[in-house]
Every structure is written in C-alpha cells, then in structure tokens.
Amino acid sequence: MDFNDKKLVYELRKQLRIANEALENKLVKENQSNWPSHNNEGSKLKDIYDLLSRNDTEKALNLIYSLNDYDISGEKSYLEGICYLKLKNYYKSIICLDNARKYNFVTPYLEHNQALAYIGIGNDEKSIIHFDMALKLLPSFSECRYNYALFLLGKGRTLQAETHFILTLIHQINYFKSSFELGNIYRKDNKLDKAISSYELCLRYNPR
C-alpha cells in the first residue's frame, strides 16, 4: 500500500468514525430531503414528471418533443435525458444531459442521473465525478448516496461504500435499504452485533 492509499484509508476511517458517532449520539433526525424546486409553473413539465413517475416513458418523450418553449430548454433536455436513461439508451441520455448544461440547467438530479448513465456505458471514472458533484450540491440526496454506495460496493471498495451507507442514514434514518446493506457488510465481516443492529433498523422502517 503506497502513501496515497494509506492517506485515503485514513480519511475514510475518519469519516466513518464521525458518521458512527453521529448515529450513536442520536444526532439523526427523521426528515425527508428538502430537494430544491426545478419545475416551472404553468408549463407541461409537471405532466412529464407525472408520466415519468408512472414509468410511462414513451408518452413522456412524446410530450417533451411537443415542447418548443426556449425558456425551459435546459429542463426539456434534462427530461429527455431521463427518458433515454430509462430506455437504457445511455449514450443518448448523456448527450441530452450535456445539452441541459449548455442552458445552465445544473441540479443534483442531473448529476445523479448522468452518473447512472455513465455506469450504463462502463465509464467508472465519469460516474464517480458526477456522483461527487451531485452530493456536493445536495449532501442529503439519499437516493444518490445509496446508489453511489452500491456502485462502490460492486467495485470492491467496501470501506467507502460503508461510509456512504452510514451517511445516508445520518441524513435520513428511515432509508431502510442502506441499513440492510450495512447489515450485509457487517455480517460478512463477522461483526454480528453491528449486523443485528442494522437489520433491526431496517425492519423498524420496513417490517415486510
């Protein structure tokens, strides 16, 4: 292990210690993330978001094509990128999300989805960059932090993944998927007390 690796491990362990102390001292509040608004009133954008939430991607894409309002061009490109991401057309998704940037439409959600698109094409380096940018803009973005942790776990970077799972719970204690993954990590490391606590936390918010 060279100097840079030792420095990274030291920093991660420091973050992990702080995160664990926050949990143990009950500094966590059960609150939902307050995401900044990025939906213009009076446009058809709300209808598009509703269609996407119902996974009606083709209808959402058709509605996007019907928009011609220059003022919403950035968000229009962003929504188009989301549609192509859902359709697993990752290259086209990245192009659309980059177009949104040209209109100065930059949000944590754009960064998160661009990270997912880069995972789709196997570009790990770009994925990490966009995950980090999303969390810099919105540290309490639980879904993004959870997906980042899963990505890191899949790459064998367990310590970093553990840190992000814990940080997710610090921002949102009822994000049960993170406590479940922590339980799995601790079980594999034979840290049974921590594993049981993590699973119990998971079951508290998701008894099914």
Side-chain angles (χ1 to χ4, degrees):
M1 184 180 291
D2 62 23
F3 174 77
N4 288 330
D5 288 337
K6 289 180 180 177
K7 184 177 179 181
L8 175 61
V9 169
Y10 172 79
E11 183 60 31
L12 287 170
R13 291 194 182 281
K14 180 180 176 183
Q15 291 179 31
L16 196 56
R17 177 179 54 77
I18 293 170
N20 273 310
E21 286 175 358
L23 282 174
E24 290 169 4
N25 292 329
K26 301 186 185 302
L27 296 179
V28 179
K29 294 183 179 179
E30 296 182 28
N31 64 313
Q32 300 292 329
S33 300
N34 294 317
W35 291 8
S37 174
H38 58 269
N39 190 13
N40 297 334
E41 293 294 332
S43 72
K44 295 180 180 178
L45 295 181
K46 184 179 183 301
D47 295 335
I48 297 170
Y49 283 108
D50 289 343
L51 288 168
L52 287 172
S53 70
R54 298 197 299 269
N55 290 318
D56 203 342
T57 309
E58 294 290 351
K59 280 188 179 179
L61 201 53
N62 289 334
L63 188 53
I64 290 168
Y65 290 150
S66 73
L67 298 176
N68 54 16
D69 188 343
Y70 178 80
D71 292 336
I72 59 170
S73 293
E75 191 159 10
K76 176 181 175 182
S77 296
Y78 163 73
L79 289 168
E80 192 177 356
I82 298 300
C83 287
Y84 285 118
L85 178 61
K86 285 178 173 286
L87 294 171
K88 298 185 178 181
N89 190 335
Y90 302 117
Y91 286 102
K92 201 158 187 177
S93 176
I94 291 167
I95 290 171
C96 292
L97 295 173
D98 280 337
N99 285 339
R101 293 175 190 281
K102 294 177 182 177
Y103 292 99
N104 295 317
F105 185 85
V106 180
T107 72
Y109 329 106
L110 182 145
E111 301 294 354
H112 174 226
N113 285 290
Q114 195 146 12
L116 298 178
Y118 275 115
I119 287 176
I121 64 172
N123 191 327
D124 294 352
E125 185 178 349
K126 287 285 186 71
S127 297
I128 290 170
I129 289 171
H130 289 286
F131 274 130
D132 286 338
M133 290 173 71
L135 292 172
K136 183 177 181 180
L137 291 170
L138 186 60
S140 61
F141 192 171
S142 300
E143 181 185 2
C144 177
R145 195 176 290 282
Y146 172 77
N147 285 332
Y148 193 10
L150 283 182
F151 167 77
L152 292 168
L153 191 62
K155 299 298 176 182
R157 297 163 72 169
T158 307
L159 184 60
Q160 287 173 288
E162 181 184 354
T163 300
H164 282 291
F165 284 133
I166 291 175
L167 289 172
T168 299
L169 294 171
I170 287 175
H171 289 292
Q172 189 176 340
I173 189 65
N174 61 350
Y175 205 86
F176 60 86
K177 291 187 288 186
S178 283
S179 51
F180 178 75
E181 293 296 340
L182 275 175
N184 291 339
I185 289 173
Y186 294 140
R187 180 172 55 82
K188 289 178 182 177
D189 286 345
N190 205 31
K191 298 176 181 177
L192 298 184
D193 288 344
K194 284 190 172 185
I196 291 170
S197 296
S198 297
Y199 288 138
E200 286 177 343
L201 181 61
C202 175
L203 289 170
R204 185 191 308 170
Y205 294 104
N206 186 41
R208 294 175 296 178

